[in-house]
């Protein structure tokens, strides 16, 4: 009897042990789908640096002109652990901050600004899994910052044009891969490419001789400027195959022209960037004769547009400006487009909120300009 009793006790103990082990195993299996375990992976950033990152990264920061904007397009704001002080102090003109005001409550991770130096100590203080950075660092500086913080530094790029630029697409893919948002990154890239194709398809077959001559003035360039500030190969004009009079100079990027040259060109349509509109209005009061010598002013073909260069390029606003330019220059080709509605569609898709109304409140929106009536 004693032997039988001992055997039963042993069997009972074994069964209890197996039940506990089995339950524990079920518990682990049930918990595993709830959280995707991070795994180390090597990626190549936009400087060609090979960086080891834990994927998916749960806490991220983005520093340098435009880095946070690209993160907002792909990864949203939940994973953002801190933002630069320049973002908090100068939110105007940045749709990503209008759409996500919760970002302004995040801890400060450094001063920010196009000529700033990253603050290794503050970056490390929020303990991010990765730091995305644009333009503030070269290859050596990126490696040094990574060594100081012991945090993976991944360099992004806006390329040469920012709008419809392959480097932007590659940067979006990097953000998507590292944050576990590959699908969203693909959707954003597809949307941008579809916008580019749509703008081009509407205008590509118009003969050059049938296109009105156009000009954009008062563009910002490290500050605000008057009507002489313009650009060669201006992205919204390029997108709609416009006949930009500045392109005959062969120059690309920011250009300061002699105003006499503008009289010689005498464009049919002039766009004024809202950031510099006040300077143009003040200049008009002093030099009305110059402005009335321009056909576009005399015929009431002066139009205001929303500025898109605030801490690098607001790609969303630049595309909205392209649709507006298309509507003004080729009304028949864009008769189905309401520029304000199109802007909100773009903001909604890229940022999750329609913010055109606020942008228009701050900058005047898409409208005709009468310099005699400020």
């Amino acid at each position: 009897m004693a032997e039988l009793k001992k055997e039963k006790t042993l069997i009972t103990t074994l069964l209890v042990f197996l039940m506990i082990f089995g339950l524990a195993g079920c518990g682990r299996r049930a918990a595993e789908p709830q959280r995707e375990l991070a795994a180390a992976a090597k990626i190549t950033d936009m400087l060609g640096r090979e960086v080891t990152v834990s994927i998916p990264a749960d806490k991220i920061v983005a520093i340098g002109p435009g880095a946070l904007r690209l993160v907002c397009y792909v990864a949203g704001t939940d994973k953002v652990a801190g933002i630069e002080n320049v973002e908090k102090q100068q939110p105007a003109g940045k749709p990503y901050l209008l759409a996500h005001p919760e970002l302004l409550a995040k801890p400060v991770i450094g001063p920010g600004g196009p000529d700033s130096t990253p603050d290794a100590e503050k970056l490390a203080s929020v303990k991010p899994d990765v730091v995305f950075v644009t333009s503030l660092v070269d290859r050596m500086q990126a490696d040094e910052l990574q060594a100081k913080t012991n945090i993976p530094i991944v360099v992004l790029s806006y390329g040469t044009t920012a709008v419809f630029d392959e480097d932007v697409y590659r940067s979006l893919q990097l953000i998507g891969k590292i944050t576990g948002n590959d699908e969203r990154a693909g959707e954003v890239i597809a949307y941008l490419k579809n916008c580019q194709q749509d703008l081009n398809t509407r205008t590509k077959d118009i003969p050059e001789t049938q296109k009105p001559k156009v000009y954009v003035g008062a563009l910002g360039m490290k500050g605000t400027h008057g009507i002489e500030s313009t650009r060669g190969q201006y992205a919204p004009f390029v997108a709609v195959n416009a006949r930009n009079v500045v392109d005959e100079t062969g120059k690309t990027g920011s250009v300061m022209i002699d105003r006499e040259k503008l009289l010689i060109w005498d464009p049919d349509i002039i766009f004024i960037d809202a950031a510099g509109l006040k300077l143009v209005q003040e200049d008009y009061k002093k030099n009305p004769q110059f402005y009335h010598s321009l056909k576009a002013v005399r015929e009431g073909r002066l139009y205001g547009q929303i500025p898109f260069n605030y801490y690098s390029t607001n790609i969303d606003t630049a595309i909205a400006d392209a649709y507006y330019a298309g509507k003004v220059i080729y009304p028949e080709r864009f008769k189905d487009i309401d520029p304000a509605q199109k802007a909100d569609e773009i903001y909604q898709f890229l940022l999750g909120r329609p913010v055109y109304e606020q942008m228009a409140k701050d900058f005047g929106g898409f409208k005709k300009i009468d310099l005699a009536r400020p």
Side-chain angles (χ1 to χ4, degrees):
M1 288 294 290
E3 289 294 325
L4 182 60
K5 188 174 181 181
K6 185 185 290 186
E7 187 176 335
K8 286 183 177 180
T9 301
L10 184 61
I11 292 172
T12 301
T13 302
L14 182 60
L15 287 172
V16 170
F17 174 79
L18 288 172
M19 287 178 65
I20 292 172
F21 182 82
L23 286 172
C26 289
R28 281 198 301 274
R29 285 194 294 273
E32 283 171 0
Q34 296 176 10
R35 184 181 185 278
E36 187 179 352
L37 296 177
K42 288 184 178 181
I43 61 94
T44 302
D45 73 5
M46 297 302 294
L47 289 181
R49 298 168 56 251
E50 194 172 78
V51 184
T52 300
V53 186
S54 291
I55 296 177
D58 285 329
K59 290 179 69 178
I60 62 178
V61 293
I63 62 173
L68 182 58
R69 179 185 300 112
L70 297 183
V71 165
C72 287
Y73 288 166
V74 173
T77 62
D78 290 346
K79 293 186 175 188
V80 176
I83 67 171
E84 294 173 299
N85 191 52
V86 70
E87 302 279 25
K88 292 197 175 197
Q89 300 302 315
Q90 301 172 17
K94 300 171 183 174
Y96 56 99
L97 293 180
L98 294 179
H100 298 288
E102 69 275 10
L103 285 170
L104 299 175
K106 302 282 185 178
V108 171
I109 53 173
D115 301 314
S116 66
T117 300
D119 189 319
E121 186 176 342
K122 286 190 175 180
L123 285 173
S125 70
V126 296
K127 301 178 179 178
D129 298 317
V130 64
V131 175
F132 293 111
V133 57
T134 58
S135 69
L136 290 184
V137 296
D138 57 24
R139 190 185 188 97
M140 185 176 72
Q141 291 168 328
D143 289 340
E144 288 177 353
L145 185 60
Q146 185 164 293
K148 285 181 181 178
T149 59
N150 199 30
I151 301 165
I153 305 296
V154 175
V155 181
L156 308 175
S157 173
Y158 271 71
T160 55
T161 63
V163 186
F164 308 134
D165 195 294
E166 287 296 326
D167 278 359
V168 170
Y169 300 152
R170 289 174 58 201
S171 295
L172 294 170
Q173 288 172 331
L174 276 173
I175 296 169
K177 181 176 182 178
I178 291 169
T179 61
N181 290 283
D182 297 84
E183 185 176 349
R184 169 62 181 170
E187 291 170 352
V188 170
I189 293 166
Y191 182 82
L192 296 175
K193 289 184 175 181
N194 285 339
C195 287
Q196 181 182 25
Q197 183 178 10
D198 180 44
L199 290 163
N200 182 56
T201 300
R202 290 171 184 267
T203 59
K204 66 182 180 181
D205 63 340
I206 302 174
E208 197 72 10
T209 55
Q210 294 181 21
K211 297 176 182 178
K213 296 184 296 180
V214 298
Y215 175 84
V216 60
L219 292 176
M221 180 185 63
K222 294 185 177 180
T224 55
H225 300 277
I227 198 166
E228 301 90 349
S229 180
T230 187
R231 287 185 76 88
Q233 292 296 301
Y234 180 60
F237 288 172
V238 172
V240 295
N241 299 291
R243 187 180 172 189
N244 182 3
V245 293
V246 180
D247 288 345
E248 76 169 40
T249 67
K251 296 179 180 179
T252 60
S254 295
V255 179
M256 293 295 291
I257 65 160
D258 187 316
R259 60 171 54 204
E260 295 305 314
K261 186 64 176 176
L262 186 55
L263 292 176
I264 294 170
W265 283 330
D266 199 16
D268 301 296
I269 300 169
I270 294 177
F271 293 86
I272 299 294
D273 193 82
L277 176 58
K278 187 176 180 180
L279 292 178
V280 175
Q281 290 170 330
E282 291 172 354
D283 189 41
Y284 172 79
K285 292 177 184 177
K286 299 174 185 176
N287 304 287
Q289 185 176 353
F290 164 75
Y291 287 91
H292 286 289
S293 297
L294 294 167
K295 176 169 55 177
V297 175
R298 293 196 308 272
E299 297 180 356
R301 305 200 71 185
L302 198 64
Y303 299 87
Q305 66 165 32
I306 299 174
F308 58 79
N309 278 319
Y310 276 88
Y311 209 32
S312 193
T313 302
N314 287 298
I315 296 170
D316 36 45
T317 302
I319 297 173
D321 280 346
Y323 274 98
Y324 177 58
K327 180 79 171 183
V328 170
I329 300 168
Y330 319 108
E332 284 302 308
R333 300 295 179 105
F334 288 81
K335 58 185 176 182
D336 60 319
I337 296 294
D338 178 296
Q341 290 180 4
K342 189 65 179 179
D344 266 341
E345 174 206 297
I346 295 165
Y347 290 134
Q348 178 71 49
F349 184 86
L350 293 177
L351 295 169
R353 265 192 67 192
V355 296
Y356 172 77
E357 185 177 349
Q358 183 61 52
M359 292 291 286
K361 181 180 178 182
D362 293 340
F363 298 104
F366 301 135
K367 65 178 184 181
K368 272 193 172 185
I369 294 173
D370 184 349
L371 292 177
R373 295 181 180 179

